[in-house]
Amino acid sequence: MLKVSKVRLQQGYRTMKWPDGPAPEMPPHFTGRPVISGDCCNGCGDCAKVCPTGAIAVADGKISLDTGLCIFCGKCEKACSKDAIKFGNDFRLASAKREDLVVQPGNDMTPNAYSEAIHKLFGRSLKLRQVSAGGCNACEADTNVLGTLAWDLGRFGIQFVASPRHADGILVTGPVSKNMELALKKTYEAVPAPKIVIAVGACAVSGGIYCGQKETHKGVPEIIPVDLFVPGCPPHPATILDGLLRLLRK
């Protein structure tokens, strides 16, 4: 025990200073919020042709990209000969409204995630029950990272609990497979009102790469109402935490 305490003292303070300090540095291969240039597009549609989820639409020579469907593979950026699509390193992707996840030319604003009603109810303390509704465990893994020493989700008054009876809401990952539909509904019903729902990852937001498959739904909104959408495949831990903090205005 003495050795453990000594090592811990030598390690010092490991929790990051963000959001009070600098944001965590994103890795070189990180793919963040896309920026679309309307002046460059010639309407060829090459970007839409290579998109594996159909997240891109081209109409009247203008591109729109649904980050709720996007898996951030970057194929569209490589396919565009006019450099009309560029993925940046902005991890602030979460939105309170599904329609605000659609990026259009000239619209590089961070989506609004704040809810005054939710802030008043849960601004000081938020307990969440996590539900994996047929996910691959990538989003689940990045959500679990928030409980580590470096991120320390609990310092914001946000914690995960074991029972929906003790929760203020649920955080859902996965596209909601047919086999998980009833379990998700029962978990939602077990949470006392008022309650919130957070959809994390492209699959939970829209179905992701499973969108249109008969074995799954098109994400959480097809089953229960959603208060916060966190896109990504999987979303970076910073994206998830940023969404939670902006939802509560912390």
Side-chain angles (χ1 to χ4, degrees):
M1 184 63 186
L2 184 60
K3 290 183 179 179
V4 173
S5 300
K6 184 179 179 180
V7 171
R8 183 65 190 91
L9 288 171
Q10 290 174 343
Q11 288 177 343
Y13 188 75
R14 291 295 186 90
T15 304
M16 66 179 67
K17 295 181 179 179
W18 181 75
D20 295 328
E25 184 177 350
M26 295 295 104
H29 59 274
F30 176 74
T31 306
R33 182 171 173 79
V35 176
I36 299 176
S37 173
D39 298 332
C40 297
C41 183
N42 60 8
C44 66
D46 288 344
C47 53
K49 295 173 185 176
V50 299
C51 182
T53 60
I56 299 176
V58 180
D60 300 325
K62 293 185 177 180
I63 303 171
S64 63
L65 194 160
D66 185 354
T67 58
L69 261 174
C70 180
I71 60 172
F72 295 82
C73 63
K75 289 183 178 181
C76 56
E77 182 179 8
K78 296 176 182 178
C80 182
S81 59
K82 298 294 183 178
D83 295 328
I85 303 176
K86 288 290 185 181
F87 284 90
N89 61 354
D90 189 352
F91 57 82
R92 298 169 298 172
L93 300 167
S95 173
K97 296 181 179 180
R98 178 67 179 86
E99 58 268 25
D100 288 348
L101 296 181
V102 179
V103 178
Q104 296 177 331
N107 177 21
D108 56 356
M109 298 289 290
T110 302
N112 178 43
Y114 174 67
S115 169
E116 184 176 357
I118 292 176
H119 168 72
K120 288 181 177 179
L121 288 169
F122 309 115
R124 300 186 65 172
S125 175
L126 178 65
K127 311 298 183 186
L128 297 170
R129 175 68 170 96
Q130 200 275 323
V131 179
S132 178
C136 68
N137 284 331
C139 294
E140 292 84 345
D142 278 358
T143 300
N144 289 341
V145 166
L146 297 179
T148 62
L149 184 65
W151 295 89
D152 191 14
L153 182 65
R155 63 190 162 126
F156 304 107
I158 306 173
Q159 295 177 324
F160 288 98
V161 294
S163 170
R165 300 290 186 189
H166 301 156
D168 300 310
I170 57 176
L171 185 149
V172 189
T173 55
V176 189
S177 63
K178 297 292 185 179
N179 290 339
M180 280 299 297
E181 178 181 353
L182 180 59
L184 177 59
K185 288 180 178 178
K186 285 188 173 183
T187 303
Y188 176 73
E189 292 169 358
V191 178
K195 51 193 168 185
I196 64 173
V197 176
I198 301 166
V200 172
C203 289
V205 172
S206 64
I209 58 174
Y210 303 105
C211 186
Q213 300 297 317
K214 62 180 182 180
E215 293 86 0
T216 66
H217 291 278
K218 294 180 180 179
V220 182
E222 263 199 355
I223 309 300
I224 53 177
V226 176
D227 299 285
L228 180 68
F229 301 88
V230 185
C233 187
H236 192 278
T239 302
I240 304 172
L241 179 56
D242 167 71
L244 292 171
L245 296 182
R246 288 197 290 117
L247 174 70
L248 303 171
R249 191 179 279 177
K250 284 186 175 288

